Amino acid sequence: MSSKTRTLSVLSSSALALCLALGPRAARADEATDKAAAEALYELGHRLMDQGKYGDACPKLEASQDLDPGVGTLLLLGDCDEKLGKLASAWGAFQEASSLAKSRSDSERAGVADLRASALKPRLNYLTFDVPAAAAVDGFELRRAGKVVGKGAWGVSLPTDAGSYEVTATAPGRETWRSTINVPSDPSEPLVVPVPVLHEPTRAVAPASPADTSTPLPPAPERASSSSSQKTIGLVTAGVGVAGGVVGGVLTYFAWKKNNDSKGPGHCETRPNECSPTGVSERNSAIKFANAASYVGIGAAVVFATGTVLYLTAPSGDHGKMADFGLSLSSTF
């Protein structure tokens, strides 16, 4: 091994040893910092409780417990929650204090925690979430006051603090369900919250397709209860046909005019297939008017024919009016 290689090996070993030596010390330093912060929060919470400021004291004790779990902190937190009326939270803190004290062979404080928890238990309210199997689709999530209620807690009577809670249920591709529940201060029968099967969202109705340029056929009229009713429908329908014919004539005139305009000076006068942009525009307009006139004219003829048939097939009555109508139509055109 060269001298350079031996030097690198020694440096690497030294660096590893230094890391191993500093690691536990850094961890111990962090742990000491947490303990100091936890102690400060505990003392502040204790002072606030002595002043009767339980709403400010309880969060401080919770933060202290998160940093450095302790039996004494849990006992004080349980007492604070009880004074705030959060009986289920207090009961949970005493239960946790008992378990932690027993794990540390602290029988005296474990007994105190058990007594406090036992005294609270008859005063608790319970809440049960009834979730049907059909609701538990992939991605289904149930929350109470923003916190997830796990599947293992469904159908179980859960100790609950008094107050108002928003319950939500969500799932991918399903509508969100929300409900507000109110838990009374006094013990009552266990409250059951039935969670429904979430519905798929209502699909938007597709927009209607653009209307056809042709005049649609009118719906077949129901057979009139009397001859006069059918004759009236026939006359009105025929009138619509006449109006359509007039519109078709107007469109035909515009088609002729646009085509004639395209032949004006500077448009398409030199060669039929060579037009200026204005001439091309005029001819395209003429084609559109001509097509529209054809559609409207055909539709008008069909509508007029329908009105004529309705009038002539009326059960009985004089058809003179229809004849007069036909004469007036011929004179119109």
Side-chain angles (χ1 to χ4, degrees):
M1 181 181 297
S2 65
S3 59
K4 182 177 180 180
T5 303
R6 284 196 299 271
T7 301
L8 290 175
S9 177
V10 170
L11 290 175
S12 298
S13 299
S14 300
L16 178 60
L18 180 61
C19 290
L20 293 174
L22 291 178
R25 292 181 183 178
R28 286 195 295 272
D30 290 341
E31 184 178 351
T33 300
D34 289 346
K35 286 182 177 294
E39 184 64 25
L41 288 167
Y42 176 86
E43 292 177 358
L44 176 58
H46 204 308
R47 286 199 303 273
L48 290 170
M49 283 191 66
D50 290 341
Q51 298 169 15
K53 299 178 180 179
Y54 305 114
D56 296 328
C58 293
K60 302 297 186 295
L61 296 172
E62 289 177 2
S64 175
Q65 177 65 16
D66 290 339
L67 289 172
D68 184 27
V71 178
T73 305
L74 285 169
L75 289 172
L76 193 60
L77 176 59
D79 190 48
C80 185
D81 284 334
E82 183 178 0
K83 286 180 169 59
L84 274 181
K86 299 169 62 176
L87 303 186
S89 295
W91 180 78
F94 290 136
Q95 289 283 87
E96 187 178 352
S98 173
S99 178
L100 184 59
K102 290 173 183 177
S103 69
R104 296 177 178 179
S105 301
D106 189 346
S107 58
E108 182 178 353
R109 290 198 291 183
V112 172
D114 287 337
L115 287 174
R116 296 295 300 272
S118 298
L120 283 176
K121 193 168 184 179
R123 302 169 57 194
L124 300 180
N125 273 310
Y126 293 88
L127 186 65
T128 303
F129 294 100
D130 184 12
V131 184
V137 297
D138 290 340
F140 176 85
E141 189 173 70
L142 181 65
R143 289 178 178 268
R144 179 185 66 177
K147 295 182 179 180
V148 176
V149 180
K151 187 174 183 179
W154 301 348
V156 178
S157 294
L158 305 173
T160 304
D161 290 330
S164 180
Y165 302 92
E166 183 183 51
V167 179
T168 59
T170 58
R174 302 294 181 95
E175 292 183 348
T176 298
W177 173 80
R178 288 184 173 85
S179 181
T180 300
I181 55 175
N182 295 300
V183 180
S185 300
D186 298 328
S188 62
E189 293 295 324
L191 300 175
V192 178
V193 180
V195 180
V197 177
L198 303 183
H199 297 292
E200 295 184 359
T202 304
R203 299 185 181 277
V205 178
S209 58
D212 191 1
T213 56
S214 62
T215 303
L217 291 176
E222 296 181 358
R223 183 174 182 84
S225 60
S226 65
S227 172
S228 60
S229 297
Q230 182 169 336
K231 287 181 179 180
T232 301
I233 294 173
L235 287 173
V236 173
T237 304
V240 173
V242 172
V246 173
V247 173
V250 173
L251 292 173
T252 301
Y253 166 75
F254 279 114
W256 170 83
K257 186 177 185 305
K258 289 292 182 181
N259 185 60
N260 192 55
D261 290 346
S262 71
K263 300 176 182 179
H267 298 337
C268 300
E269 60 176 347
T270 305
R271 295 178 60 186
N273 294 327
E274 292 184 1
C275 299
S276 66
T278 302
V280 172
S281 176
E282 295 290 348
R283 288 198 172 181
N284 287 338
S285 297
I287 291 171
K288 291 179 180 178
F289 279 116
N291 289 338
S294 297
Y295 293 145
V296 172
I298 293 172
V302 173
V303 173
F304 179 80
T306 302
T308 302
V309 170
L310 287 172
Y311 186 89
L312 295 178
T313 57
S316 63
D318 184 13
H319 298 302
K321 291 183 180 179
M322 192 64 193
D324 294 341
F325 186 81
L327 289 174
S328 64
L329 176 63
S330 61
S331 62
T332 301
F333 289 97

PDB file of all heavy atoms in Angstrom, residues 237-267:
ATOM      1  N   THR A 237    -101.337  25.827 -40.020  1.00  0.00           N
ATOM      2  CA  THR A 237    -100.150  25.145 -40.554  1.00  0.00           C
ATOM      3  C   THR A 237     -99.875  25.579 -41.980  1.00  0.00           C
ATOM      4  O   THR A 237     -98.721  25.841 -42.371  1.00  0.00           O
ATOM      5  CB  THR A 237    -100.355  23.626 -40.502  1.00  0.00           C
ATOM      6  OG1 THR A 237    -100.656  23.242 -39.158  1.00  0.00           O
ATOM      7  CG2 THR A 237     -99.114  22.891 -40.954  1.00  0.00           C
ATOM      8  N   ALA A 238    -100.947  25.660 -42.795  1.00  0.00           N
ATOM      9  CA  ALA A 238    -100.769  26.115 -44.168  1.00  0.00           C
ATOM     10  C   ALA A 238    -100.242  27.539 -44.202  1.00  0.00           C
ATOM     11  O   ALA A 238     -99.415  27.903 -45.050  1.00  0.00           O
ATOM     12  CB  ALA A 238    -102.095  26.004 -44.928  1.00  0.00           C
ATOM     13  N   GLY A 239    -100.730  28.371 -43.268  1.00  0.00           N
ATOM     14  CA  GLY A 239    -100.229  29.741 -43.197  1.00  0.00           C
ATOM     15  C   GLY A 239     -98.745  29.794 -42.915  1.00  0.00           C
ATOM     16  O   GLY A 239     -98.011  30.620 -43.471  1.00  0.00           O
ATOM     17  N   VAL A 240     -98.278  28.902 -42.021  1.00  0.00           N
ATOM     18  CA  VAL A 240     -96.836  28.825 -41.750  1.00  0.00           C
ATOM     19  C   VAL A 240     -96.084  28.451 -43.015  1.00  0.00           C
ATOM     20  O   VAL A 240     -95.004  28.974 -43.319  1.00  0.00           O
ATOM     21  CB  VAL A 240     -96.560  27.812 -40.626  1.00  0.00           C
ATOM     22  CG1 VAL A 240     -95.057  27.608 -40.457  1.00  0.00           C
ATOM     23  CG2 VAL A 240     -97.167  28.297 -39.317  1.00  0.00           C
ATOM     24  N   GLY A 241     -96.679  27.524 -43.805  1.00  0.00           N
ATOM     25  CA  GLY A 241     -96.034  27.144 -45.061  1.00  0.00           C
ATOM     26  C   GLY A 241     -95.932  28.306 -46.023  1.00  0.00           C
ATOM     27  O   GLY A 241     -94.916  28.496 -46.703  1.00  0.00           O
ATOM     28  N   VAL A 242     -97.005  29.110 -46.087  1.00  0.00           N
ATOM     29  CA  VAL A 242     -96.972  30.287 -46.966  1.00  0.00           C
ATOM     30  C   VAL A 242     -95.878  31.258 -46.513  1.00  0.00           C
ATOM     31  O   VAL A 242     -95.110  31.790 -47.329  1.00  0.00           O
ATOM     32  CB  VAL A 242     -98.356  30.983 -46.960  1.00  0.00           C
ATOM     33  CG1 VAL A 242     -98.287  32.306 -47.706  1.00  0.00           C
ATOM     34  CG2 VAL A 242     -99.397  30.082 -47.609  1.00  0.00           C
ATOM     35  N   ALA A 243     -95.815  31.478 -45.198  1.00  0.00           N
ATOM     36  CA  ALA A 243     -94.785  32.382 -44.679  1.00  0.00           C
ATOM     37  C   ALA A 243     -93.394  31.860 -45.015  1.00  0.00           C
ATOM     38  O   ALA A 243     -92.489  32.615 -45.383  1.00  0.00           O
ATOM     39  CB  ALA A 243     -94.941  32.534 -43.164  1.00  0.00           C
ATOM     40  N   GLY A 244     -93.223  30.535 -44.905  1.00  0.00           N
ATOM     41  CA  GLY A 244     -91.931  29.942 -45.265  1.00  0.00           C
ATOM     42  C   GLY A 244     -91.626  30.149 -46.732  1.00  0.00           C
ATOM     43  O   GLY A 244     -90.470  30.382 -47.126  1.00  0.00           O
ATOM     44  N   GLY A 245     -92.674  30.068 -47.583  1.00  0.00           N
ATOM     45  CA  GLY A 245     -92.453  30.303 -49.007  1.00  0.00           C
ATOM     46  C   GLY A 245     -91.993  31.723 -49.278  1.00  0.00           C
ATOM     47  O   GLY A 245     -91.123  31.956 -50.123  1.00  0.00           O
ATOM     48  N   VAL A 246     -92.592  32.669 -48.550  1.00  0.00           N
ATOM     49  CA  VAL A 246     -92.176  34.068 -48.707  1.00  0.00           C
ATOM     50  C   VAL A 246     -90.711  34.242 -48.307  1.00  0.00           C
ATOM     51  O   VAL A 246     -89.932  34.907 -49.000  1.00  0.00           O
ATOM     52  CB  VAL A 246     -93.083  34.986 -47.866  1.00  0.00           C
ATOM     53  CG1 VAL A 246     -92.566  36.415 -47.891  1.00  0.00           C
ATOM     54  CG2 VAL A 246     -94.516  34.942 -48.395  1.00  0.00           C
ATOM     55  N   VAL A 247     -90.339  33.620 -47.168  1.00  0.00           N
ATOM     56  CA  VAL A 247     -88.947  33.709 -46.720  1.00  0.00           C
ATOM     57  C   VAL A 247     -88.015  33.095 -47.754  1.00  0.00           C
ATOM     58  O   VAL A 247     -86.945  33.622 -48.067  1.00  0.00           O
ATOM     59  CB  VAL A 247     -88.782  33.005 -45.355  1.00  0.00           C
ATOM     60  CG1 VAL A 247     -87.306  32.945 -44.974  1.00  0.00           C
ATOM     61  CG2 VAL A 247     -89.574  33.739 -44.279  1.00  0.00           C
ATOM     62  N   GLY A 248     -88.438  31.940 -48.335  1.00  0.00           N
ATOM     63  CA  GLY A 248     -87.620  31.318 -49.363  1.00  0.00           C
ATOM     64  C   GLY A 248     -87.446  32.216 -50.565  1.00  0.00           C
ATOM     65  O   GLY A 248     -86.354  32.289 -51.174  1.00  0.00           O
ATOM     66  N   GLY A 249     -88.539  32.937 -50.945  1.00  0.00           N
ATOM     67  CA  GLY A 249     -88.423  33.859 -52.067  1.00  0.00           C
ATOM     68  C   GLY A 249     -87.458  34.985 -51.792  1.00  0.00           C
ATOM     69  O   GLY A 249     -86.676  35.380 -52.663  1.00  0.00           O
ATOM     70  N   VAL A 250     -87.514  35.522 -50.556  1.00  0.00           N
ATOM     71  CA  VAL A 250     -86.593  36.595 -50.188  1.00  0.00           C
ATOM     72  C   VAL A 250     -85.141  36.110 -50.251  1.00  0.00           C
ATOM     73  O   VAL A 250     -84.247  36.800 -50.757  1.00  0.00           O
ATOM     74  CB  VAL A 250     -86.917  37.122 -48.781  1.00  0.00           C
ATOM     75  CG1 VAL A 250     -85.851  38.114 -48.317  1.00  0.00           C
ATOM     76  CG2 VAL A 250     -88.296  37.780 -48.766  1.00  0.00           C
ATOM     77  N   LEU A 251     -84.897  34.898 -49.728  1.00  0.00           N
ATOM     78  CA  LEU A 251     -83.541  34.343 -49.767  1.00  0.00           C
ATOM     79  C   LEU A 251     -83.074  34.134 -51.195  1.00  0.00           C
ATOM     80  O   LEU A 251     -81.901  34.337 -51.539  1.00  0.00           O
ATOM     81  CB  LEU A 251     -83.502  33.033 -48.984  1.00  0.00           C
ATOM     82  CG  LEU A 251     -83.701  33.153 -47.467  1.00  0.00           C
ATOM     83  CD1 LEU A 251     -83.806  31.771 -46.834  1.00  0.00           C
ATOM     84  CD2 LEU A 251     -82.546  33.913 -46.842  1.00  0.00           C
ATOM     85  N   THR A 252     -84.005  33.706 -52.056  1.00  0.00           N
ATOM     86  CA  THR A 252     -83.653  33.513 -53.479  1.00  0.00           C
ATOM     87  C   THR A 252     -83.243  34.833 -54.108  1.00  0.00           C
ATOM     88  O   THR A 252     -82.287  34.915 -54.897  1.00  0.00           O
ATOM     89  CB  THR A 252     -84.845  32.908 -54.225  1.00  0.00           C
ATOM     90  OG1 THR A 252     -85.194  31.673 -53.632  1.00  0.00           O
ATOM     91  CG2 THR A 252     -84.514  32.685 -55.699  1.00  0.00           C
ATOM     92  N   TYR A 253     -83.971  35.905 -53.757  1.00  0.00           N
ATOM     93  CA  TYR A 253     -83.631  37.229 -54.301  1.00  0.00           C
ATOM     94  C   TYR A 253     -82.225  37.637 -53.869  1.00  0.00           C
ATOM     95  O   TYR A 253     -81.429  38.121 -54.681  1.00  0.00           O
ATOM     96  CB  TYR A 253     -84.647  38.263 -53.820  1.00  0.00           C
ATOM     97  CG  TYR A 253     -84.188  39.694 -54.046  1.00  0.00           C
ATOM     98  CD1 TYR A 253     -84.217  40.259 -55.329  1.00  0.00           C
ATOM     99  CD2 TYR A 253     -83.690  40.456 -52.990  1.00  0.00           C
ATOM    100  CE1 TYR A 253     -83.762  41.556 -55.536  1.00  0.00           C
ATOM    101  CE2 TYR A 253     -83.237  41.747 -53.191  1.00  0.00           C
ATOM    102  CZ  TYR A 253     -83.277  42.296 -54.470  1.00  0.00           C
ATOM    103  OH  TYR A 253     -82.814  43.568 -54.670  1.00  0.00           O
ATOM    104  N   PHE A 254     -81.917  37.431 -52.589  1.00  0.00           N
ATOM    105  CA  PHE A 254     -80.585  37.795 -52.110  1.00  0.00           C
ATOM    106  C   PHE A 254     -79.502  36.959 -52.773  1.00  0.00           C
ATOM    107  O   PHE A 254     -78.405  37.457 -53.057  1.00  0.00           O
ATOM    108  CB  PHE A 254     -80.505  37.635 -50.580  1.00  0.00           C
ATOM    109  CG  PHE A 254     -81.085  38.792 -49.822  1.00  0.00           C
ATOM    110  CD1 PHE A 254     -82.228  38.643 -49.041  1.00  0.00           C
ATOM    111  CD2 PHE A 254     -80.506  40.046 -49.900  1.00  0.00           C
ATOM    112  CE1 PHE A 254     -82.763  39.703 -48.356  1.00  0.00           C
ATOM    113  CE2 PHE A 254     -81.036  41.117 -49.200  1.00  0.00           C
ATOM    114  CZ  PHE A 254     -82.174  40.952 -48.425  1.00  0.00           C
ATOM    115  N   ALA A 255     -79.775  35.695 -53.036  1.00  0.00           N
ATOM    116  CA  ALA A 255     -78.797  34.857 -53.737  1.00  0.00           C
ATOM    117  C   ALA A 255     -78.541  35.397 -55.141  1.00  0.00           C
ATOM    118  O   ALA A 255     -77.393  35.482 -55.604  1.00  0.00           O
ATOM    119  CB  ALA A 255     -79.315  33.414 -53.808  1.00  0.00           C
ATOM    120  N   TRP A 256     -79.633  35.774 -55.840  1.00  0.00           N
ATOM    121  CA  TRP A 256     -79.486  36.333 -57.195  1.00  0.00           C
ATOM    122  C   TRP A 256     -78.700  37.632 -57.155  1.00  0.00           C
ATOM    123  O   TRP A 256     -77.813  37.884 -57.961  1.00  0.00           O
ATOM    124  CB  TRP A 256     -80.878  36.564 -57.790  1.00  0.00           C
ATOM    125  CG  TRP A 256     -80.827  37.351 -59.080  1.00  0.00           C
ATOM    126  CD1 TRP A 256     -80.587  36.894 -60.330  1.00  0.00           C
ATOM    127  CD2 TRP A 256     -81.003  38.777 -59.189  1.00  0.00           C
ATOM    128  NE1 TRP A 256     -80.593  37.910 -61.228  1.00  0.00           N
ATOM    129  CE2 TRP A 256     -80.848  39.099 -60.545  1.00  0.00           C
ATOM    130  CE3 TRP A 256     -81.284  39.777 -58.272  1.00  0.00           C
ATOM    131  CZ2 TRP A 256     -80.956  40.394 -61.021  1.00  0.00           C
ATOM    132  CZ3 TRP A 256     -81.388  41.066 -58.741  1.00  0.00           C
ATOM    133  CH2 TRP A 256     -81.234  41.377 -60.095  1.00  0.00           C
ATOM    134  N   LYS A 257     -79.026  38.491 -56.145  1.00  0.00           N
ATOM    135  CA  LYS A 257     -78.356  39.794 -56.064  1.00  0.00           C
ATOM    136  C   LYS A 257     -76.868  39.637 -55.776  1.00  0.00           C
ATOM    137  O   LYS A 257     -76.031  40.311 -56.381  1.00  0.00           O
ATOM    138  CB  LYS A 257     -79.008  40.625 -54.958  1.00  0.00           C
ATOM    139  CG  LYS A 257     -78.485  42.065 -54.875  1.00  0.00           C
ATOM    140  CD  LYS A 257     -79.221  42.852 -53.819  1.00  0.00           C
ATOM    141  CE  LYS A 257     -78.773  44.318 -53.817  1.00  0.00           C
ATOM    142  NZ  LYS A 257     -77.321  44.458 -53.668  1.00  0.00           N
ATOM    143  N   LYS A 258     -76.499  38.764 -54.824  1.00  0.00           N
ATOM    144  CA  LYS A 258     -75.090  38.562 -54.499  1.00  0.00           C
ATOM    145  C   LYS A 258     -74.326  38.011 -55.701  1.00  0.00           C
ATOM    146  O   LYS A 258     -73.193  38.411 -55.977  1.00  0.00           O
ATOM    147  CB  LYS A 258     -74.958  37.608 -53.308  1.00  0.00           C
ATOM    148  CG  LYS A 258     -75.390  38.206 -51.981  1.00  0.00           C
ATOM    149  CD  LYS A 258     -74.437  39.300 -51.554  1.00  0.00           C
ATOM    150  CE  LYS A 258     -74.825  39.866 -50.199  1.00  0.00           C
ATOM    151  NZ  LYS A 258     -73.904  40.949 -49.779  1.00  0.00           N
ATOM    152  N   ASN A 259     -74.951  37.104 -56.432  1.00  0.00           N
ATOM    153  CA  ASN A 259     -74.289  36.550 -57.619  1.00  0.00           C
ATOM    154  C   ASN A 259     -74.115  37.628 -58.676  1.00  0.00           C
ATOM    155  O   ASN A 259     -73.083  37.710 -59.353  1.00  0.00           O
ATOM    156  CB  ASN A 259     -75.108  35.382 -58.164  1.00  0.00           C
ATOM    157  CG  ASN A 259     -74.416  34.697 -59.331  1.00  0.00           C
ATOM    158  OD1 ASN A 259     -73.313  34.185 -59.187  1.00  0.00           O
ATOM    159  ND2 ASN A 259     -75.055  34.704 -60.498  1.00  0.00           N
ATOM    160  N   ASN A 260     -75.115  38.482 -58.834  1.00  0.00           N
ATOM    161  CA  ASN A 260     -75.040  39.567 -59.811  1.00  0.00           C
ATOM    162  C   ASN A 260     -73.981  40.578 -59.393  1.00  0.00           C
ATOM    163  O   ASN A 260     -73.240  41.107 -60.242  1.00  0.00           O
ATOM    164  CB  ASN A 260     -76.407  40.236 -59.936  1.00  0.00           C
ATOM    165  CG  ASN A 260     -76.474  41.167 -61.135  1.00  0.00           C
ATOM    166  OD1 ASN A 260     -76.205  40.739 -62.265  1.00  0.00           O
ATOM    167  ND2 ASN A 260     -76.817  42.422 -60.903  1.00  0.00           N
ATOM    168  N   ASP A 261     -73.877  40.846 -58.055  1.00  0.00           N
ATOM    169  CA  ASP A 261     -72.861  41.798 -57.570  1.00  0.00           C
ATOM    170  C   ASP A 261     -71.449  41.293 -57.836  1.00  0.00           C
ATOM    171  O   ASP A 261     -70.526  42.088 -58.039  1.00  0.00           O
ATOM    172  CB  ASP A 261     -73.040  42.040 -56.071  1.00  0.00           C
ATOM    173  CG  ASP A 261     -74.296  42.832 -55.765  1.00  0.00           C
ATOM    174  OD1 ASP A 261     -74.862  43.417 -56.711  1.00  0.00           O
ATOM    175  OD2 ASP A 261     -74.720  42.834 -54.590  1.00  0.00           O
ATOM    176  N   SER A 262     -71.279  39.959 -57.792  1.00  0.00           N
ATOM    177  CA  SER A 262     -69.931  39.414 -58.020  1.00  0.00           C
ATOM    178  C   SER A 262     -69.446  39.644 -59.436  1.00  0.00           C
ATOM    179  O   SER A 262     -68.244  39.556 -59.718  1.00  0.00           O
ATOM    180  CB  SER A 262     -69.929  37.909 -57.707  1.00  0.00           C
ATOM    181  OG  SER A 262     -70.660  37.204 -58.709  1.00  0.00           O
ATOM    182  N   LYS A 263     -70.372  39.957 -60.339  1.00  0.00           N
ATOM    183  CA  LYS A 263     -69.992  40.195 -61.746  1.00  0.00           C
ATOM    184  C   LYS A 263     -69.701  41.659 -62.015  1.00  0.00           C
ATOM    185  O   LYS A 263     -69.508  42.052 -63.172  1.00  0.00           O
ATOM    186  CB  LYS A 263     -71.123  39.722 -62.657  1.00  0.00           C
ATOM    187  CG  LYS A 263     -71.438  38.239 -62.517  1.00  0.00           C
ATOM    188  CD  LYS A 263     -72.626  37.856 -63.360  1.00  0.00           C
ATOM    189  CE  LYS A 263     -72.984  36.379 -63.185  1.00  0.00           C
ATOM    190  NZ  LYS A 263     -74.157  35.980 -63.978  1.00  0.00           N
ATOM    191  N   GLY A 264     -69.702  42.474 -60.986  1.00  0.00           N
ATOM    192  CA  GLY A 264     -69.466  43.890 -61.165  1.00  0.00           C
ATOM    193  C   GLY A 264     -68.034  44.202 -61.544  1.00  0.00           C
ATOM    194  O   GLY A 264     -67.145  43.338 -61.505  1.00  0.00           O
ATOM    195  N   PRO A 265     -67.773  45.425 -61.882  1.00  0.00           N
ATOM    196  CA  PRO A 265     -66.415  45.836 -62.303  1.00  0.00           C
ATOM    197  C   PRO A 265     -65.387  45.546 -61.213  1.00  0.00           C
ATOM    198  O   PRO A 265     -65.601  45.834 -60.057  1.00  0.00           O
ATOM    199  CB  PRO A 265     -66.576  47.345 -62.530  1.00  0.00           C
ATOM    200  CG  PRO A 265     -68.038  47.551 -62.777  1.00  0.00           C
ATOM    201  CD  PRO A 265     -68.741  46.534 -61.959  1.00  0.00           C
ATOM    202  N   GLY A 266     -64.324  44.928 -61.640  1.00  0.00           N
ATOM    203  CA  GLY A 266     -63.223  44.647 -60.719  1.00  0.00           C
ATOM    204  C   GLY A 266     -63.395  43.403 -59.903  1.00  0.00           C
ATOM    205  O   GLY A 266     -62.569  43.095 -59.055  1.00  0.00           O
ATOM    206  N   HIS A 267     -64.485  42.619 -60.108  1.00  0.00           N
ATOM    207  CA  HIS A 267     -64.715  41.427 -59.314  1.00  0.00           C
ATOM    208  C   HIS A 267     -64.432  40.158 -60.118  1.00  0.00           C
ATOM    209  O   HIS A 267     -63.360  39.576 -60.015  1.00  0.00           O
ATOM    210  CB  HIS A 267     -66.144  41.427 -58.784  1.00  0.00           C
ATOM    211  CG  HIS A 267     -66.442  42.574 -57.872  1.00  0.00           C
ATOM    212  ND1 HIS A 267     -65.453  43.258 -57.185  1.00  0.00           N
ATOM    213  CD2 HIS A 267     -67.624  43.176 -57.542  1.00  0.00           C
ATOM    214  CE1 HIS A 267     -65.984  44.214 -56.459  1.00  0.00           C
ATOM    215  NE2 HIS A 267     -67.324  44.208 -56.676  1.00  0.00           N
TER     216      HIS A 267
END
